[in-house]
Amino acid sequence: MDYLRKYFPILEWGAQYSGKTFINDLITGVIVTMMLIPQSLAYAQLAGLPAEVGLYASIAPLILYAIFGTSRTLAVGPVAVGSLMTAAAVAPLAAQGTPEYLGAAIALALISGLMLIIMGLLRLGFFANFLSHPVIAGFITASGVHIAASQLGPLLGIQIHGETLFDLVGSIISSIGDIHLYTALIGVISLIFLFWVRSKLKPLLIKLGLGERAASMLAKAGPVASLVAAILVVGIFRLDDNGVTVVGFVPEGLPEIAMPPIDLGLWSGLAVPALLIAIVGYVESISVAMTLAAKRRQRVDPDQELIGLGTANVGSALSGGFPVTGGLSRSVVNFDAGAETPAAGAFTAIGIAITTLFLTSLLFFLPKAVLGAIIITAVLSLVDVGALKRTFIFSKADFAAMAATILFTWILGIEAGLIVGIALSIGLHLYKTSRPHVAIVGQIPGTAHFRNVKRHTVVTDPEILSMRGDESLYFPNARFLEDNINAGVAGHPDVRHVI
């Protein structure tokens, strides 16, 4: 039974499930559903996919993660960085809007999921430790700015193109004279409203006497309110006839279970992007999951998380979705709303399924400018400029790696920037461990403790050289440590013994 619980965590928390837990999970599921519906639609747009694909990617993955995942509060689904990486991976292989493009995105989810499952079964979760936090933070910050720039096109009603940030900026500048007035008004007003909701609505509602939980729930529904208002305005005044781009027909009904395209040529072209998406998604998910688990004194199994995220992606692929992972903002909302088990995610999946079955016809007049505004609002919260200053103060080497990751992501594109970041992470690790701090130590008087002679008042013997290397001995640092010992001996001519 313990073996089954290891690979099916639902057996552990499911055995302790209670009515109170059910109510808390259900309420949380409703709150996150309101947040996930507009995000799913928006992230499908960011990935260059039909709106319904975002909904499909928010049903099966949540249910499968509830079965195989170990985090009680991680909310799985489409995320901004993953959506951008999906678009970057698929665009060179097929034209956007074609069945081949959709098929490639679905295959990407399957390949990424299978890779994660294999890594989990081989217990390779420790590999995430080789990606330094500054590099990942730099990549996410760079991606956030890149994504925000890419959404200025839908927001302003202009056509922009480019794989790098500088290409996008150049395209925006050259198209600035083609701004569509009605689209820009809808987009900018939505953007201002969403930023106001994010920072001001909850304190205002609490000030008016509403309870904190109810105020938080209403604040999280801000994107839904912007969708409804925009749909009504466009539908009533038929602004789609005046050039406002809308989502259009969204099929009703649950996705059909089907195998993604099995094409060796396609799979080989997607292998590297799928691995990068798997790595970034896992690092982001495990970081969020562990942070939230620590606040409740719970435990997350890194290797089982690989399997949980892997099965979620396989489920997304089999149900017509694209790559998914644990989202920071949704997970924090999940945590704050009181989710006690992964069942909260399953209730969210039910809410998305109901929307897909009965409410998609209401999305016809939804302007894509509002989806662009939702994406910009979400991704700018990922941009952490202050991290550059903090990292610079803490470690110049980490700052250099972070800054280089940001610049290369902007100059070369998402995939190339991430590859550079990963190489920098590994390079920094090798550099630091190959040149460890080495101290000459002496005995603290009256004790059996030895400390650095430069930092403490210690007793030394001119015939004995005691040295301490602050790193395990292995082949990259063996020569460095040997050189330090030789230099120490050379600098102390009376030494007869080396410890």
Side-chain angles (χ1 to χ4, degrees):
M1 191 63 179
D2 289 339
Y3 181 81
L4 286 176
R5 286 178 178 173
K6 177 181 177 181
Y7 290 103
F8 296 89
I10 189 174
L11 297 176
E12 182 176 346
W13 60 260
Q16 305 166 358
Y17 210 71
S18 65
K20 181 183 177 182
T21 303
F22 169 78
I23 295 298
N24 288 335
D25 285 346
L26 181 62
I27 293 172
T28 302
V30 171
I31 294 172
V32 177
T33 298
M34 290 190 295
M35 186 179 184
L36 186 54
I37 290 172
Q39 284 189 352
S40 297
L41 299 170
Y43 292 150
Q45 171 176 295
L46 178 59
L49 297 166
E52 66 271 14
V53 177
L55 297 174
Y56 297 164
S58 304
I59 301 174
L62 280 76
I63 296 173
L64 287 167
Y65 183 81
I67 297 172
F68 294 99
T70 60
S71 171
R72 302 292 180 97
T73 52
L74 188 70
V76 174
V79 297
V81 175
S83 301
L84 178 62
M85 293 179 72
T86 297
V90 176
L93 303 177
Q96 188 172 316
T98 62
E100 290 77 16
Y101 188 96
L102 175 58
I106 294 171
L108 187 65
L110 179 62
I111 300 167
S112 178
L114 292 175
M115 287 179 172
L116 286 165
I117 291 172
I118 292 170
M119 290 167 67
L121 293 174
L122 295 177
R123 306 190 67 78
L124 300 180
F126 70 91
F127 273 125
N129 299 332
F130 287 96
L131 290 179
S132 70
H133 177 74
V135 165
I136 291 298
F139 174 71
I140 291 176
T141 293
S143 298
V145 174
H146 185 113
I147 292 168
S150 72
Q151 293 307 298
L152 289 177
L155 189 85
L156 301 174
I158 56 178
Q159 294 292 326
I160 61 173
H161 307 281
E163 294 185 5
T164 70
L165 177 64
F166 297 104
D167 290 339
L168 288 171
V169 171
S171 182
I172 292 168
I173 293 172
S174 64
S175 303
I176 204 75
D178 300 327
I179 291 176
H180 187 263
L181 179 61
Y182 291 129
T183 302
L185 280 173
I186 292 171
V188 172
I189 291 172
S190 298
L191 191 63
I192 294 171
F193 172 75
L194 289 169
F195 275 118
W196 178 82
V197 166
R198 180 180 285 266
S199 60
K200 305 293 185 184
L201 182 56
K202 182 179 176 180
L204 177 62
L205 293 173
I206 292 174
K207 189 176 180 180
L208 294 175
L210 206 61
E212 183 167 349
R213 191 166 188 176
S216 180
M217 186 172 178
L218 287 174
K220 297 299 182 293
V224 176
S226 67
L227 291 188
V228 172
I231 289 171
L232 289 175
V233 168
V234 173
I236 291 171
F237 295 102
R238 293 312 304 260
L239 296 180
D240 55 316
D241 292 337
N242 290 297
V244 174
T245 305
V246 296
V247 169
F249 174 71
V250 179
E252 286 187 345
L254 296 175
E256 296 182 359
I257 303 299
M259 278 297 294
I262 308 297
D263 182 331
L264 292 181
L266 175 64
W267 281 43
S268 62
L270 293 173
V272 173
L275 180 61
L276 295 177
I277 289 173
I279 291 172
V280 171
Y282 174 68
V283 171
E284 181 179 354
S285 295
I286 197 67
S287 300
V288 174
M290 286 185 165
T291 300
L292 297 179
K295 293 184 177 182
R296 292 185 180 176
R297 299 187 179 183
Q298 295 170 345
R299 182 179 174 275
V300 173
D301 183 342
D303 295 313
Q304 183 61 28
E305 280 300 291
L306 284 166
I307 296 174
L309 290 173
T311 54
N313 275 281
V314 170
S316 181
L318 296 180
S319 56
F322 60 106
V324 298
T325 191
L328 172 61
S329 58
R330 286 196 301 273
S331 297
V332 171
V333 170
N334 217 26
F335 179 87
D336 290 339
E340 293 190 31
T341 72
F347 294 136
T348 298
I350 293 171
I352 300 293
I354 292 172
T355 302
T356 307
L357 281 170
F358 305 111
L359 303 179
T360 55
S361 60
L362 302 177
L363 301 174
F364 184 91
F365 291 110
L366 173 60
K368 291 188 175 182
V370 176
L371 297 180
I374 290 172
I375 292 172
I376 291 173
T377 309
V379 299
L380 287 184
S381 66
L382 302 176
V383 177
D384 188 1
V385 179
L388 281 166
K389 180 180 178 181
R390 294 192 300 271
T391 306
F392 180 80
I393 294 171
F394 177 75
S395 168
K396 303 300 185 290
D398 284 343
F399 169 79
M402 185 177 186
T405 302
I406 291 173
L407 289 175
F408 278 112
T409 301
W410 285 347
I411 295 170
L412 302 177
I414 295 299
E415 289 183 10
L418 180 58
I419 291 172
V420 169
I422 292 173
L424 286 171
S425 285
I426 297 172
L428 272 176
H429 169 73
L430 292 175
Y431 177 78
K432 289 178 179 178
T433 56
S434 68
R435 301 177 63 84
H437 175 258
V438 178
I440 297 175
V441 298
Q443 184 180 20
I444 295 178
T447 73
H449 302 295
F450 288 77
R451 295 292 183 268
N452 191 334
V453 296
K454 294 181 179 179
R455 299 181 182 176
H456 299 271
T457 302
V458 293
V459 177
T460 60
D461 187 319
E463 294 187 352
I464 300 174
L465 177 64
S466 298
M467 302 185 74
R468 184 192 70 225
D470 295 339
E471 190 67 60
S472 297
L473 177 64
Y474 77 129
F475 70 93
N477 63 22
R479 178 59 60 86
F480 178 81
L481 293 170
E482 182 183 356
D483 289 344
N484 270 269
I485 293 170
N486 289 334
V489 172
H492 298 78
D494 296 331
V495 165
R496 297 179 60 198
H497 309 284
V498 176
I499 300 175

